[in-house]
């Protein structure tokens, strides 16, 4: 999808959404990839986003990959997605049994006045 005009609302795409230099988007967006060269105000959820020089982003972006070129006007919150395996608890797999040594803590008398 390529936007060169103005859109208000919600966009859901399994592909690339490109907002051209003259494009303006206001609302919510879900996409596989966002390429911003114009203006966006809203919440974006995508796998990767590229904000090109001179573009304006206002709102919140949630993505795995975020590329921001120089001279982008970024007035937003960025949240990085985690991989599925990062979310799941990982079990420790060992080749050998794990041995844990537990030591008892003892208080040591450091008073040396009786040595004089």
């Amino acid at each position: 999808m390529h936007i060169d005009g103005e859109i208000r609302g919600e966009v859901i795409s399994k592909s690339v959404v490109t907002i051209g230099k003259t494009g303006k988007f206001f609302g919510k967006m879900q996409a596989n990839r966002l390429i911003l060269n114009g203006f966006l105000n809203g919440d974006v959820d995508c796998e990767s986003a590229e904000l090109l020089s001179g573009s304006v982003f206002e709102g919140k972006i949630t993505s795995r990959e975020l590329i921001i070129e120089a001279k982008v006007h970024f007035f937003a919150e960025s949240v990085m997605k985690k991989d599925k395996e990062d979310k799941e608890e990982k079990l420790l797999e060992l080749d050998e049994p794990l041995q844990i040594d537990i030591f008892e803590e003892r208080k040591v008398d450091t008073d040396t006045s009786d040595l004089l």
Side-chain angles (χ1 to χ4, degrees):
M1 172 185 273
H2 190 94
I3 301 169
D4 277 326
E6 184 175 313
I7 293 182
R8 294 178 184 268
E10 186 172 357
V11 168
I12 299 172
S13 173
K14 292 182 180 181
S15 189
V16 179
V17 175
T18 302
I19 300 175
K21 279 191 179 225
T22 60
K24 294 182 180 180
F25 179 81
F26 301 86
K28 285 185 162 187
M29 180 183 298
Q30 280 185 299
N32 185 44
R33 182 165 186 232
L34 167 67
I35 300 173
L36 178 63
N37 202 15
F39 177 85
L40 190 148
N41 179 294
D43 292 340
V44 176
D45 185 342
C46 61
E47 291 301 308
S48 68
E50 188 173 354
L51 311 182
L52 305 179
S53 182
S55 64
V56 179
F57 187 98
E58 299 175 350
K60 179 179 178 181
I61 185 163
T62 304
S63 64
R64 270 185 223 296
E65 179 182 53
L66 177 59
I67 300 167
I68 302 176
E69 289 186 355
K71 298 184 181 179
V72 168
H73 302 278
F74 188 79
F75 307 99
E77 174 186 358
S78 172
V79 177
M80 298 306 290
K81 290 182 180 181
K82 293 185 177 187
D83 292 330
K84 286 182 181 181
E85 63 185 41
D86 289 344
K87 291 181 183 177
E88 298 172 4
E89 277 189 42
K90 293 183 179 179
L91 298 176
L92 182 61
E93 294 181 18
L94 302 172
D95 294 332
E96 300 175 11
L98 179 64
Q99 178 180 345
I100 301 174
D101 295 324
I102 300 175
F103 297 95
E104 183 178 321
E105 183 179 332
R106 294 186 184 174
K107 187 172 183 177
V108 177
D109 185 10
T110 57
D111 183 15
T112 59
S113 63
D114 61 339
L115 299 175
L116 297 173

